């Protein structure tokens, strides 16, 4: 009997499924997509109805050949990539690559990787979904149209390597808008007044709430002190006591976005890390003798639905572990949000009987933490509500009312599993009755200031995107990662702040592409793409409607978009040399202020933004030295330039003499290395070691500028490339110092980090390389580690600790 072929997405998933299907199935992995739009061109025929051009992904030819070989003689092939739009696209492209006369393809959806679920899916295959594929295809083409046609504009106007995206750029706008709200915020002073009271030896707190039955607002310290003086000798009497029982219900099991939010809030996991861990838990973890087992259901979902079998299992566990009092009489059910896709269950354990304690020994600390979070949330979702006795007491003193609140957990319910993360249950009040007189221990005034809206964290940004219908849960991690990788945003104390590049790119896009940068418009596009998946609308019609206005904006932007490379963005700052306006430009090393009369006036300055977001020019730091300018006799000062510190004449701009720093700001160059001639071959003058502005050492003639002989500084290490007779020397570049072969251009071997003549004791490499701390430059004074350059060797020598 011939084996049947099952094609899945990842090797880890293949291993798990192969174990359960046995010898009658051959299981292969496509390792993600095998076909996509071409990298070097748009790949979409707009005039012919947005027909995409798919090509084999570079490097996937071997995998495609292996799949074709495995498909020989197979009449039915089961396509089982992930059960979502991307998985559907992968399945369609695999079917296209493997199609043959008489061959049928069946779509298999694994919502969880357990023996029963895998067998059921194989026994109940579906047809490939054209609607789901076309929905993914429309998204892919939309993203290509936006990215490949706006990004080149940013390369031309700002710098190469930037990107724009249909959803990514809207997410950036949301972050920038919040930052500007913070800039515009003006704090306002207010005060609170708390009374420390006592009865029967028990102290508690009450806060000033009302005056003459009206809510009181304390704007100043003087007003607060006036109230203190008025009431400090007056009796405090309990006016009213209200006690009530409050029910606190559990939350539903996780959707993707809720998991990302909770993992960030509780575990401080970035969204990308959360999704990577969840993928591993879904695809299978080796559990000793049990082998590879998928521990959770599919992790990309916005549904809170749970299979009846899983509900029955968790109810049994609750009864056995916690008792009948914790189990509701009927299973709990939860409603999906409007617009949610219900193709997959909520994220839950594949078997709740695999408790976190049972599998802990097989999981890394991060995998365990995430699995525990998922397991506890799912168990809690089917438990009884917590019951909390809450008491509030109004305490009268003259015409003022103070209020004390307290609560106690009467029945823990689901809190028995997840713990109590609420701040409401913070104080238990003593028994209070109406008319009871209380002893005043202390009146505590406190000054406050209103706070600006907080910056987004990864968790709150995910919530904002979800609430506004921007993107889909499966894309949030990639969106945030792209914004960080492109340096549009940066983490600041766990929050997301736009960089200067983020501000500038956002403003250019908002000015020139108001449609795609509009939150409501982007959310509407998501709804239309959902309708494609539901078969309610045609994918090409969606693209046609979008492209009409987008093309108009594109043509206008090509002509009118401001260039930060050339004309620059006008500011209110005046040039201190000629009085003209300064403009904000983007250069090789980032943003700077330049005189608008450049090149007639070459004044340029760094700048910062103040606490209100306004641009302020930064005066260049200079330090006088004892050296004298050989051209005009004025003192030389140390300045910081593109390649580090250098000496410049203090008579600038009349005298523009500069030279490298040899003492102030950098280490002095070393003596001539052994084996190097001491005199110049061209003129016979002595040679000396110098350091360039870029930081690299070189050997130069002392008769400069009459003799301009230069020799690269050798490291004493032979070039490791086989057959090469050269040696490694220091060389400069725009990005700093690197080390290359002296036989360049015949040999193009290079190293970024400095080589050290020391043999690796593990693999025998004739040299090691310095491994400086992150952010340090090559050759910096920071203590550095040494490591082997061989990728297959992990030898490393840590630096000596600070004395």
């Amino acid at each position: 009997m011939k084996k049947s072929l099952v094609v899945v997405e990842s090797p880890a998933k293949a291993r798990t499924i192969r174990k359960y299907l046995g010898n009658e199935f051959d299981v292969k992995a496509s390792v993600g997509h095998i076909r996509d739009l071409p990298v070097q061109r748009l790949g979409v025929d707009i005039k012919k109805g947005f027909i995409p051009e798919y090509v084999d992904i570079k490097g996937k030819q071997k995998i495609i050949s292996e799949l074709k070989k495995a498909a020989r003689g197979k009449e039915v092939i089961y396509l089982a990539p992930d059960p979502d739009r991307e998985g559907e696209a992968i399945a369609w492209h695999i079917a296209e690559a493997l199609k043959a006369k008489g061959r049928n393809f069946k779509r298999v959806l694994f919502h969880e990787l357990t023996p029963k679920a895998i067998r059921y899916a194989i026994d109940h295959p579906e047809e490939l979904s054209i609607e789901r594929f076309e929905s993914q295809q429309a998204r892919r083409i939309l993203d290509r149209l936006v990215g490949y046609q706006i990004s080149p504009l940013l390369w031309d106007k700002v710098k190469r390597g930037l990107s724009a995206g249909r959803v990514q750029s809207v997410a950036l706008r949301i972050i920038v808008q919040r930052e500007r709200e913070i800039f515009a915020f003006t704090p306002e002073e207010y005060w609170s007044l708390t009374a420390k009271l006592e009865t029967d030896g028990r102290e508690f707190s009450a806060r000033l709430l009302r005056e003459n039955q009206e809510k009181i607002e304390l704007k100043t310290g003087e007003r607060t002190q006036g109230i203190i003086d008025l009431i400090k000798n007056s009796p405090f009497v309990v006016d009213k006591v209200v006690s009530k029982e409050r029910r606190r219900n559990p939350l539903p099991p996780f959707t993707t976005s809720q998991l990302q939010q909770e993992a960030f809030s509780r575990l401080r996991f970035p969204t990308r890390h959360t999704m990577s861990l969840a993928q591993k838990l879904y695809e299978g973890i080796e559990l000793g003798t049990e082998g590879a087992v998928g521990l959770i259901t599919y992790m990309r979902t916005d549904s809170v639905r749970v299979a009846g079998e899983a509900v029955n299992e968790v109810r049994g566990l609750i009864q056995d572990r916690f008792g009948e009092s914790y189990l509701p009489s009927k299973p709990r059910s939860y409603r999906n949000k409007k617009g949610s896709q219900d193709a997959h269950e909520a994220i839950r354990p594949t078997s709740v009987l695999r408790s976190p304690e049972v599998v802990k020994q097989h999981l890394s600390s991060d995998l365990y933490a995430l699995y525990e979070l998922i397991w506890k949330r799912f168990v809690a979702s089917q438990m009884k509500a917590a019951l909390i006795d809450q008491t509030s007491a109004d305490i009268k003193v003259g015409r003022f009312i103070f209020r004390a609140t307290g609560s106690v957990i009467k029945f823990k319910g689901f809190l028995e599993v997840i713990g109590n993360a609420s701040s409401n249950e913070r104080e238990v009040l003593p028994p209070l009755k109406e008319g009871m007189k209380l002893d005043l221990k202390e009146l505590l005034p406190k000054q406050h200031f209103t706070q600006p809206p907080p910056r987004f964290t990864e968790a709150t940004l995910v919530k904002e995107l979800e609430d506004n219908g921007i993107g889909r849960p499966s894309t949030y991690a990639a969106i945030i990662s792209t914004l960080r990788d492109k340096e549009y945003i940066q983490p600041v104390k766990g929050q997301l702040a736009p960089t200067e590049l983020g501000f500038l790119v956002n403003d250019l896009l908002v000015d020139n592409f108001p449609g795609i940068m509009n939150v409501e418009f982007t959310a509407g596009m998501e709804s239309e793409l959902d309708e494609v998946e539901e078969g309610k609308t045609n994918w090409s019609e969606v693209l046609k409607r979008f492209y009409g206005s987008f093309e108009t904006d594109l043509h206008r932007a090509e002509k009118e978009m401001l260039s930060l490379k050339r004309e620059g963005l006008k500011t209110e700052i005046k040039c201190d040399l000629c009085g003209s306006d300064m403009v904000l430009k983007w250069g090789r090393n980032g943003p700077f202020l330049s005189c608008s009369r450049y090149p007639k006036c070459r004044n340029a300055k760094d700048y910062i933004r103040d606490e209100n977001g306004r641009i302020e020019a930064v005066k260049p730091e200079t330090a006088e030295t004892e050296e004298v300018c050989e051209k005009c006799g004025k003192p030389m000062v140390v300045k910081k330039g593109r390649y580090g510190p250098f000496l410049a004449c203090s008579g600038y701009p009349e005298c523009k003499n500069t030279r490298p720093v040899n003492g102030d700001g950098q280490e002095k160059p070393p003596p001539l290395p052994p084996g190097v001639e001491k005199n110049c071959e061209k003129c016979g003058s002595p040679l000396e070691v110098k350091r360039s502005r870029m930081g690299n050492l070189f050997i130069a003639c002392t008769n400069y500028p009459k003799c301009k002989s230069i020799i690269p500084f050798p490291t004493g290490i032979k070039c490791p490339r086989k057959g090469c007779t050269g040696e490694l020397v220091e060389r400069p570049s725009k990005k700093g110092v690197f080390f290359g072969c002296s036989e360049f251009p015949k040999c193009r071997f290079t190293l970024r980090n400095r080589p050290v003549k020391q043999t690796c004791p593990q693999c025998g490499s004739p040299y090691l390389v310095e491994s400086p701390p992150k952010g340090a430059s090559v050759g910096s004074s920071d203590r550095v580690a040494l490591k082997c350059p061989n990728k297959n060797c992990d030898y490393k020598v840590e630096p000596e600790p600070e004395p």
Side-chain angles (χ1 to χ4, degrees):
M1 182 179 175
K2 294 181 180 179
K3 288 185 178 181
S4 296
L5 176 63
V6 179
V7 184
V8 297
E9 199 166 340
S10 75
K13 192 174 176 181
R15 287 192 295 271
T16 302
I17 293 169
R18 189 180 294 119
K19 184 188 75 170
Y20 294 131
L21 291 181
N23 295 329
E24 59 185 294
F25 287 89
D26 190 6
V27 184
K28 296 290 183 182
S30 69
V31 194
H33 284 273
I34 62 169
R35 287 184 174 174
D36 197 3
L37 300 175
V39 175
Q40 300 297 332
R41 55 188 182 277
L42 183 64
V44 179
D45 193 329
I46 297 170
K47 294 181 179 179
K48 292 184 178 180
F50 304 94
I51 300 300
E53 174 195 354
Y54 290 114
V55 297
D56 293 344
I57 295 174
K58 187 177 180 180
K60 287 297 185 80
Q61 286 76 11
K62 183 179 179 181
I63 290 173
I64 293 171
S65 297
E66 290 175 353
L67 292 176
K68 287 181 176 179
K69 184 178 178 181
R72 288 174 190 165
K74 310 290 195 305
E75 293 182 0
V76 178
I77 295 177
Y78 297 92
L79 302 174
D82 286 349
D84 57 14
R85 296 180 183 119
E86 290 299 318
E88 201 68 31
I90 293 171
W92 275 81
H93 291 149
I94 293 172
E96 184 67 22
L98 303 184
K99 67 179 179 181
K101 188 176 181 180
R103 183 174 289 166
N104 292 316
F105 296 92
K106 296 292 183 183
R107 183 74 166 104
V108 175
L109 303 176
F110 295 130
H111 298 287
E112 58 182 84
L113 299 186
T114 58
K116 185 175 180 180
I118 291 170
R119 266 294 169 191
Y120 181 87
I122 289 290
D123 293 339
H124 299 83
E126 302 177 3
E127 297 300 320
L128 288 166
S129 169
I130 185 66
E131 293 84 9
R132 195 178 298 135
F133 169 67
E134 287 178 345
S135 176
Q136 188 277 342
Q137 180 172 261
R139 274 181 168 79
R140 186 73 185 94
I141 294 172
L142 269 176
D143 292 340
R144 175 58 64 99
L145 292 173
V146 172
Y148 268 51
Q149 294 187 90
I150 297 182
S151 297
L153 284 175
L154 295 177
W155 301 349
D156 177 57
K157 308 294 185 180
V158 187
K159 72 168 188 172
R160 292 193 66 83
L162 301 183
S163 72
R166 181 179 59 87
V167 178
Q168 160 201 320
S169 298
V170 177
L172 174 61
R173 183 179 188 180
I174 289 172
I175 295 171
V176 169
Q177 284 178 327
R178 175 59 59 85
E179 194 73 10
R180 287 193 166 131
E181 288 174 14
I182 296 170
F183 285 154
F185 183 81
T186 301
E188 294 183 3
E189 180 185 13
Y190 71 98
W191 288 72
S192 64
L193 181 58
T194 301
K196 288 286 186 180
L197 302 168
E198 183 183 55
T199 181
D200 292 333
R202 292 178 61 181
E203 287 190 7
F204 64 99
S205 302
R207 188 161 175 166
L208 180 60
L209 182 68
R210 295 196 302 269
E211 180 183 11
N212 292 329
Q213 302 306 313
E214 297 291 331
K215 186 177 179 181
I216 193 168
E217 291 186 1
L218 304 178
K219 296 289 187 180
T220 66
E222 291 77 9
R223 163 78 164 137
T224 307
Q225 186 60 48
I227 294 174
I228 292 174
D229 294 340
L230 191 63
I231 67 173
K232 61 184 178 182
N233 296 317
S234 301
F236 282 71
V237 180
V238 177
D239 184 56
K240 182 171 65 173
V241 179
V242 176
S243 295
K244 60 182 179 180
E245 182 181 88
R246 183 169 64 87
R247 296 173 62 86
R248 186 173 159 196
N249 290 309
L251 295 170
F254 285 124
T255 61
T256 303
S257 66
Q258 290 164 354
L259 177 64
Q260 292 170 346
Q261 293 171 51
E262 194 74 359
F264 183 87
S265 299
R266 290 212 177 195
L267 307 175
R268 309 311 295 175
F269 287 171
T271 51
R272 178 162 54 181
H273 187 50
T274 296
M275 294 309 292
S276 175
L277 295 172
Q279 184 88 30
K280 292 177 182 177
L281 292 172
Y282 163 70
E283 290 183 342
I285 300 293
E286 290 289 338
L287 299 182
T289 56
E290 196 176 354
V293 176
L295 293 183
I296 65 170
T297 54
Y298 191 57
M299 66 286 161
R300 293 187 179 94
T301 177
D302 52 5
S303 171
V304 293
R305 175 177 57 84
V306 175
E309 184 179 349
V311 171
N312 292 336
E313 186 181 60
V314 73
R315 282 175 61 82
L317 177 134
I318 293 168
Q319 183 165 4
D320 293 343
R321 181 175 289 200
F322 303 103
E324 190 74 34
S325 61
Y326 286 84
L327 186 68
S329 58
K330 296 189 298 184
R332 287 187 178 274
S333 60
Y334 299 92
R335 287 186 178 182
N336 287 323
K337 286 185 177 180
K338 185 179 180 181
S340 299
Q341 304 292 307
D342 197 39
H344 318 297
E345 287 187 60
I347 303 170
R348 62 167 176 83
T350 53
S351 173
V352 77
L353 301 180
R354 292 193 190 93
S355 65
E357 309 85 61
V358 169
V359 298
K360 184 175 184 178
Q361 61 178 318
H362 305 291
L363 303 177
S364 67
S365 59
D366 283 2
L367 281 170
Y368 172 77
L370 190 66
Y371 182 69
E372 182 183 43
L373 199 66
I374 294 168
W375 188 90
K376 286 186 173 181
R377 175 76 166 241
F378 177 57
V379 173
S381 71
Q382 288 297 325
M383 295 178 73
K384 276 189 175 179
L387 300 180
I388 299 164
D389 280 340
Q390 187 165 299
T391 301
S392 66
D394 286 357
I395 298 155
K396 193 170 184 180
V397 50
R399 63 176 184 268
F400 299 97
I401 295 292
F402 285 73
R403 176 167 290 177
T405 58
S407 56
V408 62
I409 298 175
K410 182 179 180 181
F411 173 67
K412 294 187 76 172
F414 73 95
L415 296 177
E416 191 72 54
V417 174
I418 66 167
N420 181 29
S422 172
S423 61
N424 292 334
E425 290 71 63
R426 62 186 182 276
E427 186 176 16
V428 179
L429 298 178
L432 299 174
K433 294 181 180 180
E434 292 181 10
M436 181 184 287
K437 291 185 178 180
L438 304 171
D439 296 325
L440 174 64
K441 305 296 292 182
E442 192 176 8
L443 285 169
L444 301 173
K446 187 174 183 181
Q447 184 186 38
H448 306 269
F449 291 92
T450 55
Q451 296 297 309
R455 285 172 172 154
F456 288 105
T457 64
E458 289 199 14
T460 56
L461 180 60
V462 165
K463 186 176 188 305
E464 184 77 7
L465 293 172
E466 184 182 35
D467 289 347
N468 284 283
I470 304 298
R472 283 293 174 259
S474 59
T475 66
Y476 294 152
I479 290 167
I480 295 171
S481 295
T482 300
L483 291 176
R484 294 181 69 164
D485 293 344
K486 294 298 178 183
E487 298 181 349
Y488 293 157
I489 62 173
Q490 61 186 353
V492 177
K493 297 181 180 178
Q495 299 173 318
L496 304 177
T499 62
E500 192 60 34
L501 181 60
F503 276 116
L504 296 173
V505 168
N506 173 76
D507 292 350
L508 287 175
L509 294 178
V510 170
D511 288 344
N512 293 275
F513 297 94
I516 66 166
M517 294 297 287
N518 182 280
V519 171
E520 290 76 17
F521 176 82
T522 305
M525 284 302 306
E526 291 294 345
S527 298
E528 288 194 58
L529 292 168
D530 288 342
E531 288 181 358
V532 173
E533 184 170 352
E534 296 163 7
K536 295 179 180 179
T537 189
N538 181 271
W539 68 275
S540 60
E541 287 298 318
V542 171
L543 295 175
K544 184 178 179 180
R545 287 194 294 272
F546 165 81
Y547 199 74
S549 60
F550 175 70
E551 187 177 31
T552 301
D553 290 342
L554 190 65
H555 289 328
R556 184 178 61 250
E558 289 170 349
K559 299 175 183 177
E560 300 177 5
M561 182 184 280
L562 180 72
S563 173
L564 295 182
K565 287 183 179 179
R566 293 179 282 276
E567 62 262 31
L569 179 67
K570 184 178 178 180
T571 71
E572 298 177 356
I573 298 172
K574 299 295 181 182
C575 175
D576 53 7
L577 296 183
C578 72
S580 300
D581 292 328
M582 298 289 279
V583 293
L584 194 158
K585 287 188 174 183
W586 196 277
R588 293 178 181 176
N589 297 289
F592 66 100
L593 289 172
S594 170
C595 181
S596 57
R597 292 182 63 244
Y598 176 89
K600 292 182 179 180
C601 178
R602 293 178 175 269
N603 189 19
K605 296 177 180 291
D606 289 331
Y607 72 90
I608 59 171
R609 289 185 187 265
D610 65 15
E611 60 183 11
N612 295 315
R614 290 188 295 262
I615 291 174
E616 292 182 347
V618 176
K619 292 182 179 180
E621 294 182 8
T622 60
E624 286 198 12
T625 70
E626 296 179 356
E627 299 193 40
V628 176
C629 176
E630 61 270 24
K631 291 186 177 181
C632 71
K634 291 184 178 180
M636 299 291 280
V637 296
V638 177
K639 289 188 175 183
K640 186 177 180 182
R642 181 183 303 167
Y643 304 112
F646 66 96
L647 287 176
C649 181
S650 59
Y652 180 86
E654 288 78 17
C655 179
K656 298 179 180 179
N657 184 31
T658 63
R659 64 172 181 260
V661 172
N662 284 333
D664 300 290
Q666 285 187 341
E667 295 181 29
K668 289 185 177 181
L672 287 170
V676 175
E677 294 292 335
K678 295 185 178 180
N679 295 318
C680 177
E681 290 182 357
K682 292 183 179 180
C683 70
S685 299
L687 295 174
E688 66 178 351
V689 179
K690 291 189 174 183
R691 189 183 299 276
S692 75
R693 287 190 193 178
M694 286 77 89
N696 68 293
L697 298 173
F698 64 97
I699 300 170
C701 181
T702 55
N703 196 25
Y704 179 86
K706 290 182 179 180
C707 179
K708 298 183 178 180
S709 178
I710 291 177
I711 304 170
F713 191 82
T715 62
I717 298 171
K718 291 184 178 180
C719 177
R721 185 155 287 173
K722 190 175 181 180
C724 182
T725 57
E727 69 173 313
L728 299 182
V729 296
E730 287 197 30
R731 295 194 184 277
S733 75
K734 294 176 182 178
K735 296 184 178 179
V737 180
F738 75 100
F739 303 87
C741 181
S742 60
E743 293 296 312
F744 178 85
K746 290 182 181 179
C747 177
R748 295 179 177 270
F749 179 83
T750 60
L751 284 173
R752 173 52 61 187
N753 291 339
R754 183 180 297 278
V756 177
K757 199 169 185 178
Q758 186 174 324
T759 303
C760 175
Q762 289 185 193
C763 71
S765 171
Y767 67 96
L768 302 177
V769 294
E770 291 184 350
S771 179
K774 188 174 181 181
S777 59
V778 175
S780 71
S781 60
D782 294 317
R783 283 175 163 77
V784 297
L786 296 178
K787 68 177 183 179
C788 182
N790 186 348
K791 292 181 179 179
N792 298 319
C793 180
D794 60 359
Y795 179 71
K796 188 173 184 179
V797 182
E798 295 294 341
E800 293 293 326
E802 294 277 358

